[in-house]
Amino acid sequence: MTGLDRKPLRLAIAGLGTVGAGVIRLLEENRALVEARAGRPITIAAVSARDRTKDRGVDLSGFAWCDDMAEMAKRDDVDVVVELVGGSDGPTLALARDTLAAGKGLVTANKAMIAHHGMELAGTAETNGAGLRFEAAVAGGIPVVKGLREGASANAIDRVYGILNGTCNYILTAMESSGADFGETLADAQRLGFAEADPAFDIDGVDAAHKLAILAALSFGAQIDFESVEIDGIRRVRAADIAQADALGYVVRLIGVADVEQSTAGPRMLQRVRPCLVAKDHPLAPIDGPTNAVVAEGNFSGRLLFQGAGAGDGPTASAVVADLIDLARGDAGAAFSVPTQQLVAMPKADSGARESRSYIRFTVADRPGVLAEITAAMRDAGVSIQSLIQEGEADGADGVLVAMVTHQGPVRNVRAAIEMLAGSDSLTDDPLIMPILRS
Amino acid sequence: MTGLDRKPLRLAIAGLGTVGAGVIRLLEENRALVEARAGRPITIAAVSARDRTKDRGVDLSGFAWCDDMAEMAKRDDVDVVVELVGGSDGPTLALARDTLAAGKGLVTANKAMIAHHGMELAGTAETNGAGLRFEAAVAGGIPVVKGLREGASANAIDRVYGILNGTCNYILTAMESSGADFGETLADAQRLGFAEADPAFDIDGVDAAHKLAILAALSFGAQIDFESVEIDGIRRVRAADIAQADALGYVVRLIGVADVEQSTAGPRMLQRVRPCLVAKDHPLAPIDGPTNAVVAEGNFSGRLLFQGAGAGDGPTASAVVADLIDLARGDAGAAFSVPTQQLVAMPKADSGARESRSYIRFTVADRPGVLAEITAAMRDAGVSIQSLIQEGEADGADGVLVAMVTHQGPVRNVRAAIEMLAGSDSLTDDPLIMPILRS
């Protein structure tokens, strides 16, 4: 270790929410081991946040305060900017661009920004010899970005999937154990801090989709394509669906799945986030509460699973500082494992052509002929029904529940059947389709 | 990328068993992606094995053949030696020493050699600026060495544990589902290729202990201390024990656990491998078959779990080549995450002083007074019994089975009770103690 190498890695931290404060706390509490593993001290030169006076439980007096975080990219006393502000565009994106353009490292927990602008930022990083790292953007404290980029680097991966949103997993598993319905459970989760006051990003699947788009790019050597992710959230999952799934040997989880199919025109990528039925003996079935888990299937490694806390200040700070230690050690290799020019633009595969088994739940008027109407539509669309349950009792006040599981068949046939039934006044609510996760 | 950087990384592969052949196959099948991620080609210059004529299903004609693998360390056309021969000492250790002393990289799957000589080899690597990597030595294809060394690098870890031997896990979970006894299940496992013809290293816990010693050093920043691992294998676990555990809400798994306790004299380390009762809702309980899983508890990350195939040519080759890609990228940081001089020598903690709940199974003569004798010994040793089951039916032909679970208490008290009973002719076999894994 030369004298030069022992120069500290000097940070500017933009954003002092719970994660920013967590990073400061970690660098203080674990100072000796961080320095030993990094091979040199990691110090904080400057910080920035909206409110300078707020008590964050950490001592900021030793750090320069930046009223405008934009200046962090220009400071001579800063080697790496740690971006913990959030927001995919605006001043956050400007800071990221300027930091990398200035040849400084950027470590971020910002999944939305990477999902939308990751290719551009990785390109800027390459051009300027700067390190770009975002372990904290996916699955909190789980080192899955490193696991895919480096740990599984010898493999062609053609499928990556997992439980990527702790709020949804908390809600679904709480519904599972309590039997309560979605609205009530969401309210509980908000009270307990497992869901935001505005939970839309989480429960509508957008947060999971951001993470999935990043994982897919890393796994497949593909360009990030957030726009093509098919997204369906968990708002419409009912207690009755979870009970039916249980009776059939499944649990319900919000699953993000990305895979690659080969076609004569080259590889196509399919990325989907939606509630799925997961067989009780699948490794993702026991994952409960706000835990995240990611499965990657490598052509030599076989199935790898990474599991841990998907959010929280401690786990996220752990991921941020692991990135910083890599940069301090001089490991600033390609952010997406290969140079951006080598990342392949993969068109979206046709999800309708995929074969799947599906769970379909209807809520229907309690009168004769309804079941005949539904099963006729299934027959006409070529959907083969494996099992069907009609619950005599009404689910809430909106009708009788009819749940079925189909045989393996093209997804487009199920969609066609639902389409046929769309105008029917026999249905008192839109049907809910949940695919059965292939093991 | 400069022209210089594009020079191939040139390998010599010592050992052409299934793993060696797997590495050759991987480098062929995944050539393009390995080169893209490594930033340069990875080529094979030379190979070595006992039998030159054996058909291994891979084409060796393009590689130099070394009759004596020792020459690999001296060849000018070799940058990295891949050691897949096995054996902790002898010619294998000599090759490892010479390779690193010559400033060449060493990638090995050899857990025994690293467990016994890892400190010396890491020191030699440092002195000579050579890279030493051993991802494949622990838990097959799971990137857990990287996960601990780099992914969790921001954390103080005070406990690491897991299912580290696929053969034992296969046998225990097969016993669980079939109800068959150990001997019969081992024979099945041997027939199916899940156990070696000489299974002692696996079923007596030595293989798991090698891996545990490596994980402990990585996790705690400690010097490897294989000699102090307390080892107990699975030979004495009976079908009846698994049935009792099941009735109590547990499964039986061979678990390696290492932890650090602080004392006034500095940190002490305790490393133990033994069959444990694992609560059915613990993340390790659903791990079945030859799968491995490692849990690390970081002070910021919380509980991280890494899971995958613990052995096999594909997974092991995946781990070997991931190490090679790191070396090709120029990431040859400290093998144990910090320079060897900074690794702390941690004396062994006293396992007897630990508090635990324990499962104890006796096989006893079927006559009056035996239960009184056992419970008196427990009382005299200060062991508090939480539940006790006496099975009327004999287990095999060797006596009646008495199983109990103790309340939390010092392990030394349980040992003292067993000691008191050691001479008794009421016992028809040595008692079996299995601790209940703390969650």
Side-chain angles (χ1 to χ4, degrees):
Chain A
M1 192 71 63
T2 68
L4 199 71
D5 287 334
R6 302 284 309 166
K7 281 202 316 193
L9 185 81
R10 302 162 303 170
L11 313 181
I13 300 179
L16 295 174
T18 54
V19 175
V23 169
I24 294 172
R25 210 156 40 79
L26 193 163
L27 289 172
E28 181 60 38
E29 270 184 56
N30 290 355
R31 179 183 303 276
L33 71 88
V34 167
E35 180 171 339
R37 293 172 188 171
R40 51 180 171 144
I42 296 180
T43 60
I44 301 169
V47 296
S48 161
R50 246 175 309 196
D51 179 357
R52 186 165 184 173
T53 57
K54 187 174 167 187
D55 179 11
R56 299 176 170 90
V58 288
D59 178 13
L60 304 176
S61 62
F63 319 136
W65 181 269
C66 300
D67 283 319
D68 180 0
M69 67 179 179
E71 71 176 87
M72 291 176 159
K74 301 177 195 115
R75 289 182 72 107
D76 288 338
D77 61 352
V78 168
D79 303 309
V80 175
V81 172
V82 179
E83 185 278 303
L84 304 169
V85 177
S88 62
D89 292 270
T92 303
L93 179 60
L95 173 62
R97 285 173 170 158
D98 292 350
T99 297
L100 295 168
K104 297 186 193 304
L106 179 72
V107 171
T108 178
N110 190 329
K111 56 214 76 164
M113 182 174 73
I114 296 298
H116 286 283
H117 305 290
M119 294 299 92
E120 178 209 320
L121 293 173
T124 307
E126 273 165 38
T127 308
N128 295 281
L132 168 63
R133 286 289 181 272
F134 45 82
E135 183 65 79
V138 182
I142 311 172
V144 64
V145 169
K146 180 175 281 283
L148 293 174
R149 192 185 56 215
E150 301 168 26
S153 60
N155 293 272
I157 294 174
D158 63 7
R159 186 165 175 244
V160 63
Y161 62 100
I163 294 171
L164 301 174
N165 183 275
T167 300
C168 288
N169 209 59
Y170 176 87
I171 290 172
L172 290 171
T173 56
M175 288 171 71
E176 193 175 300
S177 52
S178 71
D181 227 320
F182 176 78
E184 191 185 328
T185 311
L186 171 61
D188 281 347
Q190 288 172 315
R191 212 167 24 247
L192 296 166
F194 290 108
E196 307 273 352
D198 177 0
F201 244 53
D202 291 310
I203 64 176
D204 291 335
V206 179
D207 175 79
H210 285 146
K211 296 168 184 165
L212 182 67
I214 297 169
L215 289 175
L218 280 165
S219 299
F220 310 147
Q223 289 180 18
I224 289 185
D225 184 7
F226 172 71
E227 301 305 327
S228 82
V229 186
E230 296 183 4
I231 309 176
D232 195 6
I234 64 167
R235 283 184 201 263
R236 301 189 57 244
V237 177
R238 299 182 180 201
D241 296 315
I242 290 175
Q244 293 297 347
D246 179 62
L248 294 161
Y250 297 93
V251 295
V252 177
R253 297 285 182 268
L254 184 76
I255 304 285
V257 191
D259 61 31
V260 172
E261 62 180 43
Q262 300 302 331
S263 76
T264 49
R268 293 174 187 279
M269 176 164 69
L270 188 57
Q271 304 170 91
R272 292 175 288 184
V273 171
R274 64 269 165 89
C276 291
L277 265 59
V278 178
K280 286 179 185 172
D281 63 356
H282 189 282
L284 292 183
I287 311 288
D288 62 4
T291 304
N292 280 197
V294 176
V295 176
E297 293 170 355
N299 66 338
F300 277 77
S301 65
R303 183 155 76 183
L304 299 173
L305 183 145
F306 303 85
Q307 180 182 330
D313 55 338
T316 310
S318 165
V320 166
V321 177
D323 280 347
L324 292 169
I325 291 172
D326 274 358
L327 294 182
R329 294 192 304 112
D331 184 11
F336 289 92
S337 135
V338 299
T340 49
Q341 288 190 342
Q342 293 180 34
L343 293 170
V344 179
M346 294 191 189
K348 183 176 178 305
D350 174 12
S351 59
R354 291 302 177 85
E355 302 259 325
S356 176
R357 294 173 64 214
S358 298
Y359 167 93
I360 313 172
R361 180 258 297 157
F362 301 90
T363 45
V364 301
D366 191 4
R367 66 174 186 232
V370 171
L371 210 52
E373 185 182 347
I374 291 175
T375 53
M378 293 290 156
R379 178 199 61 210
D380 295 347
V383 176
S384 169
I385 298 168
Q386 181 189 313
S387 59
L388 184 147
I389 301 168
Q390 174 164 1
E391 289 274 313
E393 213 174 325
D395 174 65
D398 64 352
V400 173
L401 190 135
V402 176
M404 61 177 67
V405 170
T406 71
H407 280 292
Q408 182 92 353
V411 169
R412 73 160 71 90
N413 293 5
V414 172
R415 290 180 187 159
I418 301 300
E419 193 80 10
M420 282 182 217
L421 292 163
S424 168
D425 61 2
S426 300
L427 271 55
T428 58
D429 190 9
D430 288 338
L432 175 73
I433 309 175
M434 295 192 285
I436 294 179
L437 184 69
R438 173 164 67 85
S439 68
Chain B
M1 193 70 63
T2 67
L4 200 70
D5 288 333
R6 301 284 310 167
K7 281 203 314 193
L9 186 81
R10 300 162 305 171
L11 313 181
I13 301 179
L16 296 174
T18 55
V19 175
V23 169
I24 294 172
R25 211 156 39 78
L26 193 162
L27 289 172
E28 181 60 37
E29 270 183 55
N30 291 354
R31 179 184 302 276
L33 71 87
V34 167
E35 179 171 341
R37 292 170 189 173
R40 50 180 172 143
I42 297 180
T43 59
I44 300 169
V47 297
S48 162
R50 247 175 308 196
D51 180 358
R52 186 166 183 172
T53 57
K54 187 174 166 189
D55 180 10
R56 298 173 171 92
V58 288
D59 177 14
L60 304 176
S61 62
F63 320 135
W65 181 269
C66 300
D67 282 320
D68 180 1
M69 66 180 180
E71 69 177 88
M72 290 177 160
K74 302 178 196 113
R75 289 181 72 106
D76 289 337
D77 61 351
V78 168
D79 303 308
V80 175
V81 172
V82 179
E83 185 278 302
L84 304 169
V85 178
S88 62
D89 292 88
T92 303
L93 179 61
L95 173 63
R97 285 172 170 157
D98 292 349
T99 297
L100 295 168
K104 297 186 195 301
L106 179 72
V107 171
T108 178
N110 190 328
K111 57 214 76 167
M113 182 174 73
I114 297 296
H116 286 282
H117 305 289
M119 295 297 92
E120 176 208 322
L121 294 173
T124 307
E126 274 165 38
T127 308
N128 296 282
L132 169 63
R133 287 288 180 272
F134 44 81
E135 182 65 79
V138 183
I142 311 173
V144 64
V145 169
K146 180 175 280 282
L148 294 173
R149 192 185 57 213
E150 301 168 27
S153 60
N155 294 272
I157 294 174
D158 63 7
R159 185 164 176 245
V160 64
Y161 61 101
I163 294 171
L164 301 174
N165 184 273
T167 300
C168 288
N169 209 59
Y170 176 86
I171 291 172
L172 290 172
T173 56
M175 289 171 72
E176 194 176 299
S177 52
S178 71
D181 227 321
F182 176 77
E184 189 185 330
T185 311
L186 171 60
D188 281 346
Q190 287 171 315
R191 211 167 25 246
L192 295 166
F194 290 108
E196 307 273 352
D198 177 0
F201 244 52
D202 292 310
I203 65 177
D204 292 335
V206 179
D207 174 80
H210 285 147
K211 297 168 184 167
L212 182 67
I214 298 170
L215 290 175
L218 280 167
S219 300
F220 310 147
Q223 289 179 18
I224 289 185
D225 185 7
F226 173 71
E227 300 305 328
S228 81
V229 185
E230 297 183 4
I231 309 176
D232 195 6
I234 64 166
R235 281 184 201 264
R236 301 190 56 245
V237 177
R238 299 182 180 203
D241 295 315
I242 290 176
Q244 294 298 346
D246 179 61
L248 294 161
Y250 298 93
V251 294
V252 177
R253 297 284 182 269
L254 183 76
I255 304 285
V257 190
D259 61 32
V260 172
E261 63 180 43
Q262 300 303 328
S263 77
T264 48
R268 292 175 187 279
M269 178 164 69
L270 189 58
Q271 304 171 90
R272 292 175 288 185
V273 171
R274 62 268 167 88
C276 291
L277 266 59
V278 178
K280 288 181 185 172
D281 63 355
H282 189 283
L284 292 183
I287 311 289
D288 62 4
T291 303
N292 279 198
V294 176
V295 176
E297 292 170 357
N299 66 339
F300 277 78
S301 65
R303 182 155 76 184
L304 298 173
L305 183 146
F306 304 84
Q307 180 182 327
D313 55 337
T316 310
S318 165
V320 166
V321 178
D323 281 348
L324 292 170
I325 292 173
D326 274 358
L327 294 182
R329 292 192 307 114
D331 184 10
F336 289 91
S337 134
V338 300
T340 47
Q341 288 191 341
Q342 294 180 36
L343 293 170
V344 179
M346 293 190 190
K348 182 174 178 305
D350 174 13
S351 60
R354 291 301 176 86
E355 302 258 325
S356 176
R357 295 173 63 214
S358 299
Y359 167 95
I360 313 171
R361 181 257 298 157
F362 301 89
T363 44
V364 300
D366 192 3
R367 65 174 186 234
V370 171
L371 210 52
E373 185 183 347
I374 291 174
T375 53
M378 294 290 156
R379 178 199 61 211
D380 294 347
V383 176
S384 170
I385 298 168
Q386 181 190 310
S387 59
L388 185 147
I389 301 167
Q390 173 163 1
E391 289 274 312
E393 213 174 326
D395 175 65
D398 64 352
V400 173
L401 189 136
V402 175
M404 60 178 68
V405 170
T406 71
H407 281 291
Q408 182 90 356
V411 169
R412 73 161 71 88
N413 293 5
V414 172
R415 290 180 187 160
I418 301 300
E419 193 79 10
M420 281 181 219
L421 292 163
S424 167
D425 60 3
S426 300
L427 272 54
T428 58
D429 190 9
D430 288 338
L432 174 73
I433 309 175
M434 295 193 283
I436 294 179
L437 183 69
R438 172 163 68 84
S439 67

